[in-house]
Amino acid sequence: MEIDGQVYVGEVKEKESAKEQYEKAVSSGKTAGLVKASGRKMEKFSVSVNIAAQSSVSFILIYEELLQRTLGSYEILIRVKVEQPAQEFQIEADIYEPQGIAFVEASATFLTNELIPLVEKTVTDTKAHISFSPTVEQQKCPGCKGSLINGDFIIKYDVKRATSLGEVQAVNGYFVHFFSPPDLARVPKNVVYVIDTSGSMHGAKIEQTRESMVAILQDLHEEDHFGILLFERKISYWKDYLTKATKRNVSDAIDYVKKIQDRGSTNINSAILDAVSLLKKERKEKKVPERSMDMIFLLTDGMPNSGVTSPQLIQQNVFSAIGGSMSLFCLGFGNDVDYSFLDVMCRQNKGVARRIFDGSDAAIQLKGFYEEVSSPLLLEVDLRYSENTDFLTKTHYSQLFNGSEIVVAGQLKENDMDNFLVEVFAHGSEENFVAQGKASVTDWQTVYPEKGYIFGDFIERMWAYLTIQQQLENSALSTTEERGNIEAKALNLSLKYNFVTPLTSLVVTKPENENGANRSLIADKMTESQRQQAERHMAGAHASPAVGSPVTDDLLAAVDGDPHFMIELPDKNDALCFNINDKPGTIFSLVRDPKSGFVVNGQIISKKKVALDGNMNTYFGHFGITHQKLGVRLDVSVQEISVFYSDKQVKLLWSDATSLRDANMELKLVKNCSLTVTLRHSVKFRVIRHTKVWKRRHDHQDYLGFYTLDSHHLSASVHGLLGQFYHGVVFELTDLRPGEGQEKLDATMYVKGQRLNVTRHWQKDFNKDLKNGESIACWFVDNEGRGLIDGAASDYTVSDLFTAI
């Protein structure tokens, strides 16, 4: 951090020591900031700091990353979010690979037709240079104040792999060996898919599981054998033997998984042990190829709560049953799963675990992880090095998968590369793999002499990084006494090489100056279990009935049914709801954002047949949706959809199934079901078409529901019956008491300066389960939401479906 020409450099300390320094600054009333590291695919750093008037402050973040080869390429991902056009904006990447570069791709999620030519790429045999440097004018969003530059800049590349030994890089007495031999035949696999169908998988999770399993089964090769095991409290099989992956068998299996239903509790112990027994039986009876890999894929979203429920006992049972004869891969769905339990169990049994994050892309995450580990090339890989090496990282790997690589680092005795030899032994698909010889070595000092600050000791730091990572992994598999010794070694290396790990934190402190200002900044890196505990703690805090706070993440505001308004607050583990009825033809303002010109209006329709008691059910049957700045307009009724965009007009019927895409909009229409629209840098929403049938009355009713899926980019001035809740709502609940109705619960709610009596209701949310809906518990505010909404429902009526702001 550079302030008025003075540089303050960060210092890595043991976590408790860093925390003590940070808390001391806070308790003494001095300015202190917390730098957090988190994220799904990459680390996200956030810094809080006070800046004195007319001061100049620069932040310089230098970080190192070991690129992991996945699915045949290395990926460099740069998350870019520029709120306003920057005077100087530049991304530059220099790539050097002495083996030779096979290909280089550069793209970004925010690229428009105008920005694409600005991505410049120069590639030679061993070097590549990529640059992207838009001017202030090129960064500007046409018709709005923000910037176009918001998303991910992604570089993918791979190297030429001419030798079976791979490549060795050495600098200053340390080496790293990258092993990924070319042109190997895949090893056939025998895999049992163990799928959790307990009640907690209800809704989107089970639907995404069905979707991903269809894709996974289609990727099987004919020489593979597979089985499917479903579990809740009880275990059920597709077939009680493994089946060869012929086209007919795969097709039958797809028909089976499409019918998976959720019910019951979670018996993980019996499910895995049954899968182990099935694989062992097929192996013993020689029904699978001798040279093949036995694998179990477990997908679950919850804690074991049936049969054996102790995680430690389940781990012992599974380890004993497998006995090193097969690999276990676990996919933990969502935040309720005990991820640490799955992680340890997989690493005990030659596999890995992966958390699948809740979200619309969960099925893609599932399939992506499966693709990484579904094509084994070598089994039981041993890498051996000459006697002039020492302090080697892990040299035995249970498998090498297609598109990945093995990385080993170590020290050279007396910096001796002349006698450096490598031997690799492994089991292949048809015969054993053996490679030995002297790997080629590159002199990095002469490659980029102007970038010596990067290459000076990077091999040594890579060795330290790999060693620390493997020590931390081993500590989770060790006894308490062993764990202390292992973590002490990892801590010493972390401090020596200034790495932020789960054992250390980064502190940046600006000392006292003449203004009395003092700043402490601290960066922490959580373990997976610590991150999960924090998530659960936050969820529990938000669920407290006496606490309310603004929440924006994953908030869902929707209207559906006759008509029911729902505001779901996942971070608070709660929801609010109210109903509004009016005469047919009335048009309500649902969303209006003055800054972007995004408007959603909805028109009320009535049930075709009036009830005998004279009551009239009403629904939304027509939506007018406009985004003025993007030039998009949608006219959505129960019969058809008209789309106006980029000077085009398209008319669609609900019986269609199609997609539309341009620079500003992405639209997906699912036949007779739903319309999902994403507007660039603005909003994502879904319209669902329902047909309600009363069989006894020989009657039916078509109507629409509107669901806001992502509203983070809309301005703070967004309003409307739904829009006013997009940036959260603060409320407090007290005096919970039995209600008048059977099993009802009443409470007193304080919201927007009002004191309201509310009742616990159940409403249907069709966003995740489009056919049957998911029952959501919510606090119901009667009298058309008066007190919860600003003003009265009549204040939101407008004269025209496309009334602009």
Side-chain angles (χ1 to χ4, degrees):
M1 182 167 63
E2 183 177 319
I3 303 178
D4 295 329
Q6 180 68 41
V7 176
Y8 305 92
V9 181
E11 179 184 6
V12 173
K13 292 188 173 185
E14 187 271 331
K15 187 179 285 284
E16 287 303 315
S17 174
K19 182 181 178 184
E20 182 179 338
Q21 178 175 333
Y22 170 68
E23 291 178 344
K24 183 178 179 181
V26 173
S27 61
S28 62
K30 297 173 182 176
T31 303
L34 178 65
V35 184
K36 296 181 179 179
S38 63
R40 268 169 60 166
K41 198 170 183 181
M42 61 185 296
E43 298 292 5
K44 175 183 177 182
F45 297 91
S46 58
V47 182
S48 301
V49 65
N50 286 337
I51 301 172
Q54 300 182 0
S55 292
S56 172
V57 179
S58 297
F59 296 93
I60 302 99
L61 174 66
I62 298 174
Y63 71 97
E64 294 166 293
E65 177 184 9
L66 175 61
L67 299 183
Q68 300 286 344
R69 187 170 186 258
T70 304
L71 300 176
S73 68
Y74 301 99
E75 179 181 280
I76 304 168
L77 187 149
I78 304 168
R79 179 70 43 83
V80 185
K81 185 175 182 179
V82 182
E83 297 290 347
Q84 297 294 333
Q87 291 296 321
E88 185 177 343
F89 180 97
Q90 194 169 12
I91 293 175
E92 287 201 11
D94 286 304
I95 299 172
Y96 173 66
E97 291 289 354
Q99 288 176 262
I101 296 174
F103 70 87
V104 178
E105 299 173 353
S107 62
T109 58
F110 52 77
L111 287 182
T112 62
N113 291 334
E114 291 75 21
L115 292 177
I116 288 175
L118 302 181
V119 180
E120 298 181 358
K121 183 174 66 174
T122 304
V123 184
T124 63
D125 185 42
T126 59
K127 291 185 179 183
H129 179 79
I130 297 97
S131 66
F132 176 66
S133 183
T135 64
V136 171
E137 289 301 316
Q138 289 167 331
Q139 296 173 52
K140 287 181 179 178
C141 174
C144 60
K145 294 182 179 179
S147 172
L148 287 170
I149 314 300
N150 191 337
D152 297 335
F153 192 90
I154 303 165
I155 300 170
K156 289 186 177 183
Y157 76 93
D158 199 16
V159 301
K160 296 176 181 177
R161 301 177 189 278
T163 67
S164 58
L165 271 178
E167 183 203 11
V168 175
Q169 298 172 5
V171 175
N172 296 339
Y174 290 82
F175 77 90
V176 61
H177 178 204
F178 298 93
F179 175 70
S180 181
D183 305 322
L184 292 178
R186 59 185 301 280
V187 175
K189 62 178 178 290
N190 316 305
V191 55
V192 179
Y193 304 104
V194 182
I195 303 171
D196 185 348
T197 59
S198 61
S200 58
M201 289 288 288
H202 179 72
K205 292 178 184 177
I206 201 72
E207 182 60 38
Q208 289 162 337
T209 299
R210 295 189 200 105
E211 180 184 341
S212 57
M213 279 303 302
V214 169
I216 286 170
L217 290 169
Q218 289 172 336
D219 281 344
L220 286 168
H221 295 256
E222 190 151 337
E223 64 270 22
D224 295 333
H225 289 72
F226 72 102
I228 301 172
L229 185 156
L230 309 181
F231 76 95
E232 24 97 19
R233 181 175 61 85
K234 299 178 180 178
I235 312 296
S236 59
Y237 294 85
W238 173 49
K239 296 179 179 178
D240 60 357
Y241 55 89
L242 294 186
T243 306
K244 193 172 184 181
T246 62
K247 289 184 178 179
R248 176 62 184 273
N249 289 336
V250 168
S251 178
D252 290 346
I254 288 174
D255 290 339
Y256 176 74
V257 300
K258 284 181 177 178
K259 300 173 184 176
I260 293 175
Q261 299 295 325
D262 52 275
R263 60 186 178 276
S265 50
T266 309
N267 190 346
I268 291 177
N269 184 77
S270 295
I272 299 178
L273 296 186
D274 279 19
V276 172
S277 297
L278 178 58
L279 284 166
K280 283 188 171 181
K281 177 175 73 73
E282 299 292 285
R283 175 71 66 179
K284 183 178 180 181
E285 295 175 0
K286 298 184 178 181
K287 294 181 179 178
V288 295
E290 182 179 353
R291 287 182 176 269
S292 58
M293 178 180 176
D294 295 341
M295 310 168 72
I296 297 172
F297 274 88
L298 168 70
L299 189 150
T300 181
D301 79 324
M303 294 279 287
N305 56 18
S306 179
V308 178
T309 58
S310 165
Q312 292 74 23
L313 187 53
I314 295 173
Q315 289 169 345
Q316 293 172 19
N317 292 342
V318 171
F319 181 73
S320 176
I322 288 180
S325 63
M326 58 192 71
S327 295
L328 172 66
F329 300 91
C330 297
L331 297 101
F333 214 138
N335 289 327
D336 292 333
V337 70
D338 187 343
Y339 181 82
S340 298
F341 153 61
L342 299 180
D343 181 44
V344 170
M345 186 166 62
C346 287
R347 285 194 275 119
Q348 287 174 333
N349 296 285
K350 299 183 179 181
V352 293
R354 181 74 57 82
R355 183 195 289 281
I356 303 299
F357 292 85
D358 287 336
S360 59
D361 66 339
I364 298 173
Q365 295 176 57
L366 285 165
K367 185 174 181 292
F369 172 73
Y370 178 78
E371 287 176 343
E372 290 179 31
V373 297
S374 62
S375 295
L377 301 179
L378 295 174
L379 306 178
E380 305 304 333
V381 185
D382 272 309
L383 300 101
R384 303 174 188 175
Y385 300 89
S386 49
E387 293 183 356
N388 64 331
T389 60
D390 206 352
F391 298 105
L392 297 171
T393 60
K394 182 179 175 181
T395 57
H396 176 83
Y397 288 81
S398 300
Q399 60 277 123
L400 171 69
F401 295 104
N402 187 32
S404 66
E405 72 181 351
I406 289 172
V407 182
V408 178
Q411 296 183 21
L412 293 165
K413 296 178 180 177
E414 300 178 355
N415 202 6
D416 177 16
M417 284 301 301
D418 294 333
N419 298 310
F420 183 87
L421 296 174
V422 181
E423 292 181 301
V424 183
F425 301 90
H427 301 310
S429 61
E430 297 177 357
E431 57 186 20
N432 288 339
F433 176 92
V434 179
Q436 49 190 315
K438 184 173 181 178
S440 60
V441 175
T442 303
D443 179 9
W444 283 84
Q445 309 295 331
T446 61
V447 177
Y448 281 109
E450 74 279 11
K451 292 183 169 56
Y453 67 93
I454 295 177
F455 298 133
D457 62 352
F458 86 104
I459 297 295
E460 180 181 353
R461 294 176 64 77
M462 191 180 296
W463 164 81
Y465 171 81
L466 289 169
T467 302
I468 293 168
Q469 295 300 310
Q470 291 171 13
Q471 286 173 336
L472 293 175
E473 290 175 3
N474 291 337
S475 71
L477 307 177
S478 307
T479 64
T480 303
E481 183 178 350
E482 293 172 334
R483 187 177 301 127
N485 293 330
I486 294 172
E487 290 186 355
K489 294 177 182 178
L491 174 60
N492 288 335
L493 273 180
S494 300
L495 294 173
K496 179 180 178 180
Y497 290 94
N498 286 309
F499 287 144
V500 176
T501 70
L503 305 175
T504 59
S505 297
L506 172 68
V507 180
V508 186
T509 302
K510 182 181 183 301
E512 292 273 358
N513 59 21
E514 61 273 16
N515 298 321
N518 178 291
R519 297 178 180 87
S520 277
L521 305 169
I522 182 168
D524 275 331
K525 187 179 185 71
M526 294 183 181
T527 63
E528 184 62 42
S529 60
Q530 288 170 336
R531 194 187 304 261
Q532 189 175 5
Q533 288 174 2
E535 289 165 353
R536 285 178 174 168
H537 173 74
M538 289 301 294
H542 287 309
S544 172
V547 177
S549 61
V551 179
T552 58
D553 292 341
D554 301 320
L555 180 148
L556 184 143
V559 60
D560 210 334
D562 57 344
H564 305 301
F565 289 78
M566 295 175 289
I567 316 301
E568 296 180 33
L569 308 164
D571 283 358
K572 291 168 65 67
N573 194 27
D574 217 335
L576 308 175
C577 52
F578 58 94
N579 290 354
I580 290 180
N581 292 297
D582 211 303
K583 59 182 182 295
T586 302
I587 302 173
F588 283 108
S589 169
L590 302 180
V591 184
R592 54 180 176 84
D593 183 15
K595 291 197 174 181
S596 66
F598 179 63
V599 175
V600 182
N601 295 325
Q603 186 173 37
I604 295 289
I605 61 173
S606 65
K607 187 180 171 185
K608 294 179 179 180
K609 292 185 179 180
V610 178
L612 295 177
D613 58 6
N615 290 331
M616 182 185 300
N617 292 93
T618 57
Y619 310 85
F620 277 109
H622 203 168
F623 291 123
I625 304 166
T626 307
H627 197 297
Q628 292 177 339
K629 291 189 176 179
L630 296 182
V632 175
R633 191 175 80 170
L634 293 96
D635 187 344
V636 185
S637 70
V638 292
Q639 291 84 23
E640 61 185 19
I641 303 158
S642 295
V643 188
F644 305 82
Y645 70 107
S646 301
D647 298 323
K648 302 175 186 176
Q649 179 176 353
V650 179
K651 185 165 286 190
L652 306 171
L653 298 177
W654 281 101
S655 56
D656 297 330
T658 188
S659 297
L660 297 176
R661 177 180 293 182
D662 77 342
N664 293 325
M665 180 190 71
E666 182 175 347
L667 177 151
K668 181 179 180 182
L669 177 61
V670 179
K671 183 178 181 180
N672 292 325
C673 184
S674 68
L675 171 74
T676 305
V677 180
T678 304
L679 300 180
R680 182 175 59 88
H681 303 325
S682 181
V683 65
K684 181 178 181 180
F685 59 87
R686 176 174 292 146
V687 179
I688 299 176
R689 182 182 185 272
H690 302 275
T691 298
K692 189 173 183 179
V693 178
W694 293 270
K695 293 182 179 180
R696 291 183 180 180
R697 305 176 190 173
H698 305 288
D699 189 19
H700 75 280
Q701 176 68 48
D702 297 330
Y703 62 93
L704 303 175
F706 182 90
Y707 292 78
T708 314
L709 306 183
D710 185 352
S711 58
H712 292 89
H713 296 290
L714 294 178
S715 73
S717 56
V718 64
H719 210 263
L721 283 172
L722 292 178
Q724 63 188 285
F725 299 106
Y726 282 175
H727 294 288
V729 56
V730 178
F731 65 91
E732 181 177 334
L733 292 170
T734 61
D735 189 24
L736 274 66
R737 57 194 182 274
E740 293 181 0
Q742 186 178 8
E743 297 182 352
K744 291 275 187 175
L745 182 67
D746 287 354
T748 299
M749 175 184 289
Y750 293 89
V751 59
K752 294 183 178 181
Q754 305 285 327
R755 181 179 182 274
L756 309 175
N757 290 322
V758 294
T759 304
R760 204 64 168 160
H761 272 222
W762 291 90
Q763 300 284 22
K764 283 281 191 177
D765 174 1
F766 289 88
N767 180 49
K768 297 176 182 177
D769 186 344
L770 299 176
K771 182 179 179 181
N772 302 310
E774 180 180 1
S775 293
I776 301 295
C778 63
W779 291 106
F780 182 82
V781 181
D782 60 10
N783 197 19
E784 298 191 323
R786 187 177 289 272
L788 175 62
I789 65 173
D790 296 336
S794 58
D795 298 336
Y796 296 84
T797 59
V798 292
S799 58
D800 185 79
L801 204 60
F802 290 96
T803 296
I805 291 172

